[in-house]
Amino acid sequence: MDIPKDRFYTKTHEWALPEGDTVLVGITDYAQDALGDVVYVELPEVGRKVEKGEAVAVVESVKTASDIYAPVAGEVVEVNLALEKTPELINQDPYGEGWIFRLRPLDLGDLDDLLDAEGYQEALESEA
Amino acid sequence: MKRTPLYEAHLRLGGRMVEFAGYALPLQYTSIVEEHLAVRQGAGLFDVSHMGEFWIRGEEALAFLQWATANDAARLKVGRAQYSMLPNERGGVVDDIYLYRLGEAEYLMVVNAANIAKDFAHLEALAAGFRVELEDASERTALLALQGPQAESLLQELTEADLSQKKKNDVFRAQVAGRPALLARTGYTGEDGFEIFLAPEDAEAVFVALVERGAKPAGLGARDTLRLEAGFPLYGHELTEATNPLCTPWAWVVKKEKAFFGKEAMLASPCREKVVGLVLETGIPREGYPVLSGEAPVGRVTSGGYSPLLEKGIALAYVEEGAEGPFFVEVRGRRVQASLSPLPFVPLK
């Protein structure tokens, strides 16, 4: 499983990549593989204020629907509209073109509470 | 969890195993969408060894089957098969089945895996008074389903039988890859194809031979999306012990002109609900989601999912008799417009 070292992770399989005063959010390679073919993504509204751990988006595969949680509290400032037409980007490029939404965190320091790549790897191993 | 004779082969092929009706079976090998499209465009291969097989033999086999099943078994010639149902005493459905006639007084009934014990007990109870022998051969029978437009040409390379002479619902004995098999031109995907009954020890050799010639292994995920697109019912979803089949799109199975167990109750029970096909504007409907007419709840999704061919969410749903559209499906709190679709959702072969 590919786990890039440049970003943070949650135990619920989201990644958060800091970019300036915002963070990009998507799901991990492990998560997309477990879901299988992604066929629909329900994106949040831009401007929505979210709490840490709040269900923000829904990723649907052929077999199941899965909530995507906010890794930190903040405001949704952008969503990946490309996923409306090509949800399979999440399978093809989960850490790049398949990003889901961009948050402006209330406090960037909250990212420190998340897992790093090594911590996420360990979490996956203990789950398995 | 029980294993089919192909368990090891599934693991070697990268099958993602899940529990289904007590068996470990592959949900998918590569991708449900890929496997689905392989069946629609080429050839896909399913392990359906979990299904149940009963042999029914004896002087009064036909009379017994006429009583136990809703379709007209007398119309079956030797070497032919038909879709049918086992009605219960209330006119509901014990199971939906496939019935194959192999000889003058020799029939094979294929039943749903989850219902094997229930069905066999039901048939044994009904068999009292008939000169008939019932045999549950489920544990001794492996079953493969080769489905898709290339199924015939692919299978022809492995058998001496002239498949071009075999029509839909024909059943016959032949060798496949050198192993004795019972073949039927039947399936559950809406495509042309063959179901291949084998001894458990022969299953892997035939499965591997078909894969080597280009059949794509396909799992339970694709089996379900294919049958949904084809508008076929799944027992426990569209059909249950409480379902009157006369109130469903599969009412054609029931032949009212003959006598059968549960007939009077079936004819007497009114239709309060009907089955409809729905195509959603957006999103994926799942089993149990409410169906609304305007704002009013009028039904529920019994089978829902993504159609790889239509690239939309589709559903079979029960709605109140008389309920009128436009219909909506409540998808996690959102009302999504759903248009009525004739069944099947896609053209059948």
Side-chain angles (χ1 to χ4, degrees), chain A residues 6-64:
Chain A
D6 62 351
R7 59 196 78 195
F8 299 93
Y9 297 88
T10 67
K11 285 186 175 163
T12 48
H13 311 293
E14 290 87 6
W15 54 259
L17 175 67
E19 288 185 343
D21 65 345
T22 67
V23 291
L24 213 53
V25 180
I27 64 170
T28 65
D29 189 27
Y30 170 86
Q32 70 76 24
D33 183 65
L35 278 171
D37 303 292
V38 173
V39 291
Y40 181 73
V41 183
E42 196 177 301
L43 295 165
E45 300 235 338
V46 171
R48 178 169 156 191
K49 306 248 190 326
V50 298
E51 297 295 323
K52 176 179 175 161
E54 186 177 329
V56 176
V58 182
V59 172
E60 298 227 26
S61 68
V62 175
K63 59 180 197 271
T64 191

Side-chain angles (χ1 to χ4, degrees), chain B residues 52-188:
Chain B
E53 290 86 8
F54 303 156
W55 287 97
I56 298 139
R57 299 182 179 99
E59 207 177 314
E60 292 186 330
L62 175 58
F64 167 68
L65 288 167
Q66 280 299 61
W67 180 242
T69 69
N71 204 337
D72 186 359
R75 291 189 198 177
L76 267 186
K77 297 191 174 81
V78 173
R80 296 286 295 158
Q82 76 181 183
Y83 178 59
S84 194
M85 295 183 196
L86 303 178
N88 64 24
E89 72 288 355
R90 293 171 291 149
V93 184
V94 177
D95 203 0
D96 63 333
I97 61 154
Y98 231 85
L99 188 64
Y100 301 82
R101 187 174 188 190
L102 277 306
E104 279 307 317
E106 184 182 38
Y107 295 83
L108 174 66
M109 185 184 291
V110 175
V111 307
N112 285 295
N115 293 340
I116 293 173
K118 176 184 88 165
D119 291 357
F120 199 72
H122 171 80
L123 290 169
E124 278 195 311
L126 288 188
F130 287 96
R131 283 193 295 276
V132 65
E133 277 170 37
L134 302 180
E135 182 197 356
D136 178 359
S138 305
E139 299 282 336
R140 295 191 298 284
T141 310
L143 181 57
L144 309 182
L146 176 69
Q147 302 278 295
Q150 287 168 17
E152 181 188 313
S153 60
L154 206 148
L155 183 60
Q156 190 63 77
E157 293 177 34
L158 293 171
T159 181
E160 76 288 359
D162 182 358
L163 300 181
S164 70
Q165 297 303 307
K166 304 298 180 187
K167 301 188 298 288
K168 182 178 167 63
N169 283 328
D170 277 355
V171 58
F172 53 99
R173 293 184 191 278
Q175 299 262 318
V176 178
R179 316 282 169 145
L182 179 66
L183 291 96
R185 199 156 198 163
T186 53
Y188 190 46

Side-chain angles (χ1 to χ4, degrees), chain B residues 13-298:
Chain B
L13 288 161
R16 198 167 286 189
M17 308 302 278
V18 295
E19 191 270 338
F20 181 78
Y23 282 85
L25 286 162
L27 175 71
Q28 63 180 76
Y29 301 85
T30 55
S31 133
I32 294 174
V33 172
E34 262 179 51
E35 292 162 22
H36 180 110
L37 295 175
V39 171
R40 291 273 179 254
Q41 294 157 3
L45 181 61
F46 301 87
D47 173 15
V48 282
S49 300
H50 57 296
M51 304 285 291
E53 290 86 8
F54 303 156
W55 287 97
I56 298 139
R57 299 182 179 99
E59 207 177 314
E60 292 186 330
L62 175 58
F64 167 68
L65 288 167
Q66 280 299 61
W67 180 242
T69 69
N71 204 337
D72 186 359
R75 291 189 198 177
L76 267 186
K77 297 191 174 81
V78 173
R80 296 286 295 158
Q82 76 181 183
Y83 178 59
S84 194
M85 295 183 196
L86 303 178
N88 64 24
E89 72 288 355
R90 293 171 291 149
V93 184
V94 177
D95 203 0
D96 63 333
I97 61 154
Y98 231 85
L99 188 64
Y100 301 82
R101 187 174 188 190
L102 277 306
E104 279 307 317
E106 184 182 38
Y107 295 83
L108 174 66
M109 185 184 291
V110 175
V111 307
N112 285 295
N115 293 340
I116 293 173
K118 176 184 88 165
D119 291 357
F120 199 72
H122 171 80
L123 290 169
E124 278 195 311
L126 288 188
F130 287 96
R131 283 193 295 276
V132 65
E133 277 170 37
L134 302 180
E135 182 197 356
D136 178 359
S138 305
E139 299 282 336
R140 295 191 298 284
T141 310
L143 181 57
L144 309 182
L146 176 69
Q147 302 278 295
Q150 287 168 17
E152 181 188 313
S153 60
L154 206 148
L155 183 60
Q156 190 63 77
E157 293 177 34
L158 293 171
T159 181
E160 76 288 359
D162 182 358
L163 300 181
S164 70
Q165 297 303 307
K166 304 298 180 187
K167 301 188 298 288
K168 182 178 167 63
N169 283 328
D170 277 355
V171 58
F172 53 99
R173 293 184 191 278
Q175 299 262 318
V176 178
R179 316 282 169 145
L182 179 66
L183 291 96
R185 199 156 198 163
T186 53
Y188 190 46
T189 60
E191 294 296 326
D192 183 22
F194 293 85
E195 291 180 299
I196 308 167
F197 299 83
L198 295 156
E201 59 272 23
D202 292 334
E204 185 167 337
V206 173
F207 188 84
V208 168
L210 288 165
V211 170
E212 280 172 353
R213 274 161 186 79
K216 185 169 176 59
L220 293 171
R223 190 166 164 83
D224 194 50
T225 53
L226 287 157
R227 76 90 195 167
L228 180 57
E229 270 186 358
F232 295 152
L234 175 60
Y235 193 81
H237 296 245
E238 288 72 38
L239 299 174
T240 68
E241 295 276 351
T243 307
N244 180 345
L246 293 174
C247 306
T248 72
W250 309 286
W252 61 268
V253 171
V254 181
K255 300 299 188 277
K256 294 183 199 167
E257 63 278 10
K258 67 159 210 177
F260 60 85
F261 179 72
K263 177 181 168 181
E264 305 316 320
M266 194 183 289
L267 292 178
S269 103
C271 296
R272 297 194 177 87
E273 296 179 313
K274 61 184 172 186
V275 177
V276 295
L278 298 172
V279 177
L280 269 64
E281 195 88 337
T282 176
I284 315 292
R286 308 281 180 187
E287 186 186 353
Y289 284 8
V291 178
L292 314 172
S293 164
E295 300 285 338
V298 292

Side-chain angles (χ1 to χ4, degrees), chain B residues 3-15:
Chain B
R3 296 176 176 185
T4 74
L6 293 166
Y7 179 79
E8 298 293 335
H10 295 317
L11 294 184
R12 277 201 309 279
L13 288 161

